[in-house]
Amino acid sequence: MSLWHSDPRKDKLDVAKYAPDVAVRDTMYGLPENVAFCKKCVISNQRPNSTVEHKHTSESKKTTINFDSEGVCDACRNAERKHDIIDWEKRRRELEVLCDKYRSRNGHYDCLVPGSGGKDSFYQSWMLKYEFNMNPLTVTWAPHVYTDWGWRNFNRWIHSGFDNYLLTPNGRVKRLITRLAVENLFHPFQPFIFGQKSYAPKMAARMNIPLIFYGENEAEYGNPIADNSSAKRDYTYFSTTDDSEIFLGGTSVRSLIEDYGVAMPDLDVYKPSNPAELQEKGIEVHYLGYYLKWHPQAAYYFAVENGGFEASPERTPGTYSKYNSIDDRIDDLHYYTTFIKFGIGRTTYDAAQEIRSGDIEREEGVALVRRYDGEYPERFADELMEYLSLPEKEFPVASKQFEDPIMDREYFDALANRFRPPHLWEYANDEWKLRRRVFDQN
């Protein structure tokens, strides 16, 4: 069966759905019809929760961040618990007990830390090794396209005293899956998320390391508060027993092989672990942020002081910051796609987190959103469009599934219009505009 991808530049836009005064507005992705903004931070109720990524298809419906009766989001309520309720000395003692249980006595690795060499992975691995006397092995799923400073930070991380396994998947397969993730889901970051979630458990099983530490729980950013009631990460995020449940770039494994010419061995690195093997080897996945109070900006200063961490030389497109998610050039494009799909750009994410951490006031966050949110990322644009292109010479089978396998800015912008929810966007005078914005309420 052909899965031919039509050229979005030939689409006829139904402008009536996006009229400023249209009475009935279609929603997409299961998002709430009425847009609201948190009273404490700047996040909107359109923010999707983290989910089981290998089940993500074009038909998937999102669960979104919860707002309570006072109009405050779960992430802000979670932050209140962090600042006012949780006994962090008690949590630290729990971590000491956990480390004592697993600490190696013979020099073998006793825990595994996935990371890219960013501020958070540096902080968590450094604390485990030098503060809690553990012997961590670090593992890295390579970004799509390293930034120069991201690559330098990766090397600084390793040279600050850590062994590391760097997995760089087949470049052509990763490019194909990324293009499919953009075509089907408008989600260029998805292939990295696969590795981020699945590579560490696989390596832990292979190396017989029963304890894995991730950084902060997704509840820090909006997943249900109840998710942060346990230190452990649920197996469902990174394991399955059924290959038919696995979709990469919104495409089944079977289709990738039969329609796109991918060899089965090249997909193994993307597949989740078998839960039976993880259970047999007693592998536990913990969030270090459950035990230690997580502060992203403090982690940045910590990484600078202890490892020479290097911020981006310029402001990151779409936001005001220079130290968050700076390893991968495709990050810029990823946050632009979240702006299209959910009305939430990179500034909103950054400002909301810094408001919760007490680094800035809400008024300042609103002003930053007004100034930077939704900015198109120009700095790596040509390189990223080339990365998303599938020329016939390199992709003789897969390229035939696309009316035009070459991606450029015009193609990308036309494709974006397929993913704009009418309840979020209006179109008038040849211009797109969000119907509701956090600064319109201020």
Side-chain angles (χ1 to χ4, degrees), residues 46-111:
Q46 307 295 300
R47 181 203 178 274
N49 291 335
S50 298
T51 187
V52 180
E53 199 65 52
H54 61 263
K55 294 185 178 181
H56 189 176
T57 72
S58 60
E59 303 301 318
S60 297
K61 301 299 182 185
K62 302 288 187 182
T63 58
T64 54
I65 190 170
N66 177 64
F67 282 28
D68 65 18
S69 60
E70 296 179 7
V72 177
C73 74
D74 270 4
C76 283
R77 293 304 189 201
N78 184 72
E80 291 173 356
R81 293 179 67 250
K82 280 177 60 179
H83 299 318
D84 303 328
I85 298 176
I86 294 174
D87 183 342
W88 290 107
E89 286 300 319
K90 179 182 178 183
R91 290 280 182 91
R92 185 184 178 93
R93 291 193 295 271
E94 291 177 24
L95 177 59
E96 290 171 347
V97 170
L98 180 69
C99 289
D100 286 343
K101 176 182 177 181
Y102 286 97
R103 187 176 292 107
S104 171
R105 301 293 186 264
N106 61 5
H108 188 267
Y109 302 120
D110 46 28
C111 64

Side-chain angles (χ1 to χ4, degrees), residues 214-251:
Y214 280 84
E216 68 272 52
N217 192 301
E218 289 87 349
E220 299 264 353
Y221 303 105
N223 270 34
I225 293 176
D227 289 1
N228 214 9
S229 62
S230 170
K232 295 182 182 180
R233 191 176 208 175
D234 194 277
Y235 271 18
T236 56
Y237 280 109
F238 50 82
S239 68
T240 185
T241 58
D242 186 357
D243 277 5
S244 69
E245 290 185 337
I246 301 173
F247 291 83
L248 307 175
T251 309

Side-chain angles (χ1 to χ4, degrees), residues 288-311:
L288 190 62
Y290 176 85
Y291 304 103
L292 303 177
K293 189 176 182 181
W294 209 263
H295 185 174
Q297 194 173 89
Y300 162 62
Y301 292 125
F302 184 94
V304 170
E305 180 179 352
N306 293 282
F309 180 85
E310 176 185 356

Side-chain angles (χ1 to χ4, degrees), residues 117-128:
K119 59 179 176 45
D120 294 325
S121 50
F122 182 92
Y123 171 76
Q124 65 198 74
S125 56
W126 198 99
M127 290 295 290
L128 288 165

Side-chain angles (χ1 to χ4, degrees), residues 322-377:
K322 300 169 66 175
Y323 65 84
N324 278 326
S325 299
I326 61 172
D327 314 303
D328 195 337
R329 298 187 182 210
I330 216 162
D331 276 14
D332 292 359
L333 206 60
H334 164 59
Y335 284 100
Y336 182 77
T337 63
T338 66
F339 183 69
I340 297 297
K341 291 188 295 183
F342 312 119
I344 301 173
R346 192 163 184 166
T347 304
T348 297
Y349 284 107
D350 286 348
Q353 175 264 305
E354 291 197 346
I355 292 167
R356 296 176 202 128
S357 296
D359 300 318
I360 63 175
E361 298 293 331
R362 187 178 191 272
E363 183 178 1
E364 183 179 358
V366 170
L368 289 166
V369 171
R370 177 195 289 271
R371 183 169 183 180
Y372 296 118
D373 220 35
E375 178 183 24
Y376 183 80

